[in-house]
Amino acid sequence: SVDPNHDDADALITRLQAFAGDLLAIRNIALRFSADPALKEWKLTSEQRRNLFLISKEVLYNTLKYADARTVEISITAGHRSLILELRDDGCGFDPANTDSYNGNGLLNMRNRARAIDAQFTLESSPGNGTRVRVVVPQKATPPRSGD
């Protein structure tokens, strides 16, 4: 996790695509995965990579357990000075405001993980309409090289 050869978004993309594909195949859920080629050179901290992966993992496990989805879409794109991770399913959805309808700390943990990397976290879901999770990570400014 501290290997500088893995400090780019491409390492996260590769790991997430493999994990999601293997996990969703268990239930024959189709995966549509897209990643912006411009992100190959983006640098991420180990904390950013870790938290983005763990947020994704939580979303995917919840989808597998509760959503009754047929398809999951994951996209990772470059926004204006930000990385945007979006996970969407076509499952049964739920009411995020009704915390009595589920147990566990998944939503709180995802929000806390996003906050830890200064990312914006949004979750949209409603019964019958699937779920969409979006995490926007601001690009850290690269410090100038000495002599610049």
Side-chain angles (χ1 to χ4, degrees):
S1 66
V2 293
D3 184 345
N5 292 322
H6 300 290
D7 67 352
D8 54 33
D10 195 41
L12 171 68
I13 291 165
T14 300
R15 184 173 180 209
L16 181 55
Q17 185 173 17
F19 176 81
D22 290 346
L23 184 68
L24 297 173
I26 293 169
R27 295 269 174 85
N28 294 318
I29 299 171
L31 173 63
R32 292 188 188 137
F33 192 96
S34 64
D36 189 334
L39 291 172
K40 283 189 177 280
E41 304 302 319
W42 277 44
K43 299 297 180 193
L44 295 174
T45 66
S46 60
E47 183 181 21
Q48 287 172 322
R49 282 192 327 276
R50 179 177 182 271
N51 282 309
L52 286 170
F53 184 77
L54 291 174
I55 289 168
S56 301
K57 188 175 173 182
E58 180 77 31
V59 171
L60 291 167
Y61 278 132
N62 287 344
T63 300
L64 199 68
K65 288 168 60 176
Y66 306 114
D68 195 27
R70 290 174 293 162
T71 304
V72 169
E73 296 177 30
I74 300 175
S75 67
I76 304 174
T77 57
H80 179 69
R81 299 189 53 78
S82 61
L83 177 146
I84 303 165
L85 168 66
E86 189 168 286
L87 299 99
R88 181 186 306 245
D89 71 55
D90 62 357
C92 62
F94 69 102
D95 179 1
N98 183 7
T99 56
D100 293 335
S101 67
Y102 53 88
N103 56 15
N105 295 310
L107 293 176
L108 178 62
N109 288 342
M110 287 187 279
R111 285 187 174 93
N112 287 339
R113 289 186 187 288
R115 190 175 304 116
I117 56 173
D118 297 323
Q120 176 189 15
F121 177 89
T122 53
L123 181 141
E124 297 171 1
S125 188
S126 62
N129 293 312
T131 300
R132 176 179 165 255
V133 171
R134 187 170 198 229
V135 184
V136 180
V137 182
Q139 185 180 25
K140 300 285 185 188
T142 305
R145 294 176 301 207
S146 59
D148 285 354

